[in-house]
Amino acid sequence: MAEKKYEFRRRLETVHKPNRRNPEARPSEGEAQADEGWTIVTSERASPLVRRVAEDLRHYFDVSMRVGIGLRRVHDVSAAAAEERVIVLAERGELPSEIGAELTEPCSYRLIVSRQRIVVCGYDDKGVGQGSYYLEDLMNLREAPILSSQDVVRKPLFSPRMAHSGWGLDLYPNEHLNAMAHAGIDAILLFVKDVDRTTDGHQDFNNLIDRAEKYGLDVYMYSYLDSSRVHPDDPGAEVYYAGTYGSIFEACPRFKGVILVGESVEFPSKDPNTTGVLRLDWPSDEPKTKPSPGWWPCTDYPQWVNAVKKAVCKHNAEAEIVFWTYNWGWAPKEERLRLIRDLPDDVTLLVTFEMFEQVKRENITNVCVDYTLSFEGPGEYFRSEAEAAKEKGIGLYAMSNTGGLTWDVGVIPYQPMPGQWTRRHEALHRARADWGLSGLMESHHYGWWPSFVSELTKWSYWTNGLSAAEALRAIARRDFGEAGAEHALEAWEHWSEAIRHYVPTNEDQYGPFRVGPSYPMVFRQRVRMPAAWHAMWGNEIVKTDYEPLEDPRQSPGAVRFGVEIRSLERMLEEMLQGNECLERALAALESDAADGKIRGKLEEGERMLGIGRFIANSVRTTLHLKRWWLLKTKLFAEPDADRAEALLKEMERVAMQEISNAENTIPLVEADSRLGWEPTMDYMTDRAHLEWKIKQVRSVLDKEFGDVRKSLALTER
């Protein structure tokens, strides 16, 4: 049955999946089984977060495990921890000192499970919350309210873990906040243009901060202020920045910090290597021989950062200033590192993990031009800046995209490639050990989506949990049953190999891979894709006149396209094999489809298969566009009518294949309303856009090719 637009949000708002219990599961000797008669216990003095967590856990038992658990608040939670058939949720100061003695880090917790008692002791209330969510994780894998006997202390390995909303641009319903907290996310990002003004319009910032706090989440301001138009040396600069950044923190002093990235915070730099003019202020009729200040590691950025820091910290002395070097990783190493060495000592550096890496394929070089999973990282750009941050002694964060998505395929909810995500997790852990990497930005504006990938990420980012292999196998058994698990694991292995053959180029990430099979095939008549009036970017970040966007660091398109086609053909082959394996995994569930729990698994598995098929179709689109461009280039250079006609016929064949590909994508986007949507673009690959694309290609074949044939006939005469 087709989903209506935005219906995916209903799924996002379902934090506790219903009916997860396996009625055949039985406890082993010494295991705890929470059933009717058990009670969740908190202190009368528990924080609002702990009280909400207790209610959340009771809701989980009711909805997911079909067990009615009591809830009571007591004066002496320490005494309650000695009772039987209780689940105690408390901070370390509320329990005997020996229970919390090993808890030394914020958000950490100790879990003690015996047959008749469960105690979650948090370093703080956030730790209590994460401990309670861990109980859910364990019971979800067991598919029963059964916990093995254990006594374990768990600590987060990265904090903050920042993410953008997957529900809508800068939109955070309470249920989505709750889901993010359950996944171990501890901070959210908000694009800020002014006080209570986001890229999506008006929003009550302090209300969002209040609501996020109830789920243990901090809120970071991601600066989208209209570009800073005053140099920090200019007269009146202090007053100017007090009226911009300062006014925001004066109105909303509980922002955890501010993210500053070059393209969004340009200022009139005096660095002679730049134009000294903001990008949008440069005259459109004048050639630009130097980069704008937002795209160069300007020597006066440290002064600018200091000006912002002074304005912000006047209203929140603990506010974190996070400086992101995303825009100039291509610049000379000595220029980039000099900037880092000159930054204030209390600034945190944010560096994109895989970007700008030069990857050799056969005889050509490709550059990781933007966020991609194809290369797990770290790149040399990250490595060099991480070393500089360590030498300087400043904090280091990574833009890791481990929320589960990159720009590889722009309109899917997550990339179901666990093997490659695991390789990235491992690389991030090495960076933590080598350079002190401590925090992560886990998504850009394409947002965070709960999936088995986010579960694997959570297992990786805490101490004393399952290994990646153990977690993945347990998830496969839970979601596909014993019979289907091996097929699912094989599917994920193929998909994880597939992404390693993806080629991240500008023309593809801003072209066919950004929107998939709705991408047009332009011959001569340029077109713009239809876009929603309310979308922040809409079609502005889709370049539809497909051609190589050359980078001086890589081979030209005419040379590299052949290599890229062969690599993408391998990617398509692996995607298709993975799809076949997942079909077998789903078939293994079919015989039990009458059970409500199995039906839910089938629905989720079918949506995962839909993602796999959509990715495969997007690879086909990109292959078709590369062949189309190569043929078109030959055609435009071909004076001979017979050879031109042969090229036209080959282009018609490619176009008809792509029309079929677009038609085959319609059922996928109809079945899953999240496919084809992205927060800043809105819907770009729904039925309407796919039908528009099919009509556009047919118009090329009927009208434009007809005109060429007439021209060739006239020339021949």
Side-chain angles (χ1 to χ4, degrees), residues 458-514:
K458 184 180 178 183
W459 281 108
S460 180
Y461 289 174
W462 285 78
T463 60
N464 295 323
L466 299 177
S467 69
E470 290 169 335
L472 190 61
R473 183 164 291 277
I475 290 169
R477 283 197 303 266
R478 179 196 69 196
D479 292 350
F480 294 94
E482 291 292 342
E486 291 303 322
H487 297 304
L489 289 167
E490 189 177 356
W492 295 337
E493 188 173 341
H494 281 297
W495 289 348
S496 298
E497 177 63 23
I499 194 61
R500 302 181 74 142
H501 299 279
Y502 176 95
V503 186
T505 66
N506 269 318
E507 63 266 16
D508 292 338
Q509 287 197 333
Y510 280 88
F513 272 126
R514 179 139 300 189

Side-chain angles (χ1 to χ4, degrees), residues 239-282:
V239 173
Y240 176 85
Y241 287 102
T244 53
Y245 288 89
S247 67
I248 291 170
F249 272 79
E250 181 179 20
C252 312
R254 288 178 298 139
F255 271 129
K256 179 69 173 178
V258 56
I259 312 295
L260 306 169
V261 58
E263 66 186 58
S264 299
V265 298
E266 282 194 294
F267 73 109
S269 171
K270 297 179 181 179
D271 190 316
N273 291 296
T274 76
T275 62
V277 177
L278 281 55
R279 175 177 61 94
L280 296 179
D281 291 346
W282 186 262

Side-chain angles (χ1 to χ4, degrees), residues 650-669:
E650 181 61 17
M651 291 181 75
E652 285 176 339
R653 188 184 68 83
V654 173
M656 293 306 295
Q657 289 177 338
E658 180 55 20
I659 286 174
S660 177
N661 188 46
E663 290 171 340
N664 292 337
T665 305
I666 291 175
L668 303 179
V669 301

Side-chain angles (χ1 to χ4, degrees), residues 303-320:
Q303 294 170 266
W304 181 86
V305 171
N306 256 325
V308 171
K309 185 183 72 165
K310 183 175 181 179
V312 165
C313 292
K314 178 181 178 181
H315 305 287
N316 178 352
E318 303 300 318
E320 190 173 7

Side-chain angles (χ1 to χ4, degrees), residues 505-508 510-512 519 522 526 543-550 557-558 560-561 625-626 628-630 632-633:
T505 66
N506 269 318
E507 63 266 16
D508 292 338
Y510 280 88
Y519 188 80
V522 170
R526 296 190 177 189
K543 178 177 170 55
T544 54
D545 190 5
Y546 188 79
E547 62 180 356
L549 300 175
E550 304 300 7
R560 59 185 167 85
F561 268 21
L625 264 295
K626 288 185 184 297
W628 177 264
W629 182 84
L630 288 169
K632 183 170 70 170
T633 303

